[in-house]
Amino acid sequence: MSYLNVPFSIKGLQLNNSIVMAPMCQYSVTEKDGKPNDWHYVHYLSRAVGGTGLILMEMTDVEPDGRITDQDLGLWSDEQIPAFKRIIDGVHSHGSKIGIQIAHAGRKALDAEVPVGPSELPYDSKSKKPRALTTGEVKEMVVKFREAVRRAIAAGVDTIELHGAHGYLIHQFHSPGINNRTDEYGKQLSLFGVEVIRAVKSVMPSDMPLIMRISAVEYMDGGYELDHSIAIAKDYMSAGVDVFHVSSGGDGPIGERKPGNFPGYQLPLAKAYREALSVPVIAVGQLEDPIVADAAIESGDADLIAVARGMLRDPYWATHAIQAVGHKPELPEQYKRAY
């Protein structure tokens, strides 16, 4: 028996298989207006043709200065909705489901004149010093997340992923090494994320699952450990998260603790989340070997597997992976003669 080809469902989301395309910034918005263009259209639709169960569009930001670079996607205006809808409708026409990763880069916004964050601590010695958001601005930021999600839903997405990993704004708030505030958002490190979750859930259909990507551990010196992130995740789950997409790091310069660099190095983190929270988990991190990916589901490490760089190399990774683990993939009529 193989597992990659097994359908998966949660709430109203039904996937043809257990394969997720992880969000990967393309840095290709040439007009710097936040709108996806023909590059994004071809990029995402080719992975739908390639049989991916769930495609997660790259980090899409809630305000212009929330972008990592000015070439990133954004959903801060209703004028941006049609460009996203064009891609989402196209993905649906090829049988895949699609979500958007909603985010704010915080102190990692490279092109912002003055980036913002929970505190004035820069990412590293070469980075711009961020301005700490006021308490009122934090509450305004929650609304910006809600409105970006509202626009994503208007564009037709099947799910939403909030980016709470890799050192971006939500992660910055729940990291004790980054958040040194003395207000309510410093006293309760999960509060900003909880308020964002509740706000976006208020505009999401009741049967649409909410995914949260989270860094299970940090790699900067003094960074948090697994027990801290799981405690934060419990608050996020209580607020409305349905699925956790478990990654690690991105918080700051790597210290004595080094991330793995081998297939499946983050699987123990995904398994820990699955066991501690009893919710579906997406595993990610060098899972492009179909045998490793299939075994991750079989062993109970994860419910879904996400592939990033492997899908950059091969738009049809899902089709080829299902074939590699011994099953006949679902194919477009036009391609059947090749298989």
Side-chain angles (χ1 to χ4, degrees), residues 58-79:
E58 65 203 81
M59 180 170 167
T60 298
D61 300 290
V62 303
E63 66 174 3
D65 280 348
R67 294 173 290 180
I68 304 171
T69 76
D70 289 346
Q71 284 78 34
D72 291 341
L73 297 180
L75 267 173
W76 59 78
S77 168
D78 287 359
E79 293 180 357

Side-chain angles (χ1 to χ4, degrees), residues 5 50 57 109 124 155 179 192 212-214 223 243 262 292 305:
N5 64 299
M57 289 186 72
D124 58 23
N179 182 352
F192 176 64
M212 169 71 83
R213 198 172 205 192
I214 192 165
V243 179
F262 53 87
V292 174
I305 63 94

Side-chain angles (χ1 to χ4, degrees), residues 9-262:
S9 64
I10 180 170
K11 291 188 168 181
L13 178 66
Q14 298 183 351
L15 308 180
N16 293 331
N17 55 52
S18 300
I19 298 170
V20 179
M21 177 183 177
M24 292 170 283
C25 288
Q26 296 297 290
Y27 306 110
S28 297
V29 183
T30 52
E31 298 299 318
K32 301 183 180 181
D33 57 2
K35 298 176 183 178
N37 53 36
D38 284 348
W39 172 266
H40 302 90
Y41 183 84
V42 173
H43 175 65
Y44 291 113
L45 265 68
S46 62
R47 275 71 187 176
V49 172
T52 307
L54 174 62
I55 293 168
L56 292 174
M57 289 186 72
E58 65 203 81
M59 180 170 167
T60 298
D61 300 290
V62 303
E63 66 174 3
D65 280 348
R67 294 173 290 180
I68 304 171
T69 76
D70 289 346
Q71 284 78 34
D72 291 341
L73 297 180
L75 267 173
W76 59 78
S77 168
D78 287 359
E79 293 180 357
Q80 294 161 324
I81 294 172
F84 283 89
K85 188 177 189 310
R86 175 180 175 237
I87 292 173
I88 292 164
D89 289 348
V91 165
H92 287 158
S93 73
H94 294 293
S96 292
K97 298 299 173 66
I98 183 168
I100 298 177
Q101 185 186 71
I102 302 298
H104 190 293
R107 71 177 187 171
K108 294 179 77 174
L110 301 177
D111 287 344
E113 184 175 349
V114 180
V116 298
S119 64
E120 295 183 352
L121 299 174
Y123 177 78
D124 58 23
S125 60
K126 298 178 182 179
S127 300
K128 297 174 183 176
K129 183 179 180 180
R131 179 180 65 81
L133 293 162
T134 67
T135 302
E137 287 173 331
V138 176
K139 296 183 183 301
E140 291 171 1
M141 190 67 72
V142 172
V143 175
K144 291 177 182 179
F145 271 86
R146 184 194 70 198
E147 288 302 287
V149 168
R150 177 186 62 78
R151 295 181 184 107
I153 292 166
V157 293
D158 302 292
T159 186
I160 295 292
E161 178 172 282
L162 293 175
H163 203 345
H166 301 165
Y168 299 115
L169 190 63
I170 294 176
H171 180 168
Q172 290 166 29
F173 268 89
H174 69 231
S175 172
I178 303 172
N179 182 352
N180 61 11
R181 301 174 71 91
T182 57
D183 67 356
E184 58 193 291
Y185 294 101
K187 294 175 182 177
Q188 183 183 344
L189 296 182
S190 66
L191 181 59
F192 176 64
V194 164
E195 289 186 350
V196 169
I197 292 162
R198 289 173 176 165
V200 304
K201 292 286 280 193
S202 74
V203 295
M204 292 172 62
S206 60
D207 66 343
M208 180 182 289
L210 176 63
I211 304 169
M212 169 71 83
R213 198 172 205 192
I214 192 165
S215 286
V217 296
E218 295 182 325
Y219 298 118
M220 64 184 182
D221 287 334
Y224 64 66
E225 300 290 341
L226 185 61
D227 57 348
H228 175 81
S229 74
I230 286 179
I232 294 290
K234 287 179 179 178
D235 287 348
Y236 290 167
M237 185 175 68
S238 296
V241 171
D242 300 292
V243 179
F244 284 97
H245 188 172
V246 183
S247 188
S248 64
D251 42 282
I254 295 172
E256 290 187 8
R257 179 181 190 168
K258 303 294 191 290
N261 188 28
F262 53 87

